Structure formats: structure tokens, C-alpha cells
Amino acid sequence: YQSLTSNGEYTMCTGLYPNMHNNSGATSFEDSMSKYLPCCLGNALSREGYQTFAYHSNVGEFYSRNLTHPNMGYTFRSAGDGLNIHMANPSSDEELFRESLKDLTTDNTPFHAYYMSWSGHNPYNWTNAMSLKNKDAVSGLEYSENVKAYLACSLELEYGLEKLLASLEENG
């Protein structure tokens, strides 16, 4: 299948192969946004009493996530729509996780949180906002500049997860 972010995300969220024979130009997500999807984790866990959230540090209109993810049972939040995140290319996963804590630590209701990470996205050079942010952490490594830029932007996810898990543990 064509290697597109939305195809991989569709498969991961639904357990289905994307429709690669669609001539409309719409993604499989867009095709499915008005269809009943009871087996998606958001819908399945909502039926069991969980709060379900999906977060993305880009705008919600990108790949129509603001429409597709609620159909999968999620309360969807994105940059400028529920999340106060500085927009960069790419935006910070650390900020994404920090902003999500407002939803996840308010009460003792079980929750499921689905994150669409963006910090590790290409280009893997020093024009990448997250690579540049974490450049000093990889400057001493003996790799090419592209590999160091890749590692630097990947650190943003690492730092964000570290803080998210510490905050969740701290809040019980």
C-alpha cells in the first residue's frame, strides 16, 4: 500500500486495510467518517465507561481528523482546538503531552488516550524545529548531520513521554 501517514493510522486505529482502489481522492479515514466503527478502541472503551481522547499537535483539519476521530469514539483535541500548542514544523510532542494532562488528571475515571506524534517527522536536518530545539543534546555524537537531526527530533518524543508518565504517576 502507498506509504501515507493516513493509511498507516487508519490501519492501526481500525484494524482494516486502507482502501487503495478509491478514485475519489479521499483517504480511507474520510471514506469511513460517516460509517459505524464499533470496534475502534475509542468506541469500544467508551462503551465500557472510559473517557477517550485523541490528540494531535497539528490542526484538526489535517487529514480531516477533527471529523474522523470523533467517529471512532474520541474526544478530539488539536492545536488551536482544545490544545494550546505553539505551531512549528513539526510541533512539539512535549507540549502535546503537557496539554493533554488537563483531561487525564481531573478525576479517577479510567481513560484511553491516543496521540498522533509529530515531533519525529522529517525533514531530518536543522530546518526541522524539533531537531534544532534538541541539537545540543546530539552535537557530540559521531554521526552524519542527518542522523543527528533525526535523533534530535526523536528526543522530543522521549522527553514528552518521560514528563507525561511522571505526571500521571504523580497524580495517581
Side-chain angles (χ1 to χ4, degrees), residues 16 37 61 92 96 122 124 131 144 154 161:
L16 303 170
L37 299 171
E61 293 79 12
S92 169
L96 173 70
N122 66 352
Y124 303 121
S131 294
S144 70
S154 297
L161 284 171

Side-chain angles (χ1 to χ4, degrees), residues 24-44:
S24 73
T27 67
S28 293
F29 265 140
E30 291 168 323
D31 283 343
S32 72
M33 69 183 159
S34 61
K35 293 179 174 65
Y36 180 53
L37 299 171
C39 295
C40 291
L41 280 176
N43 285 323

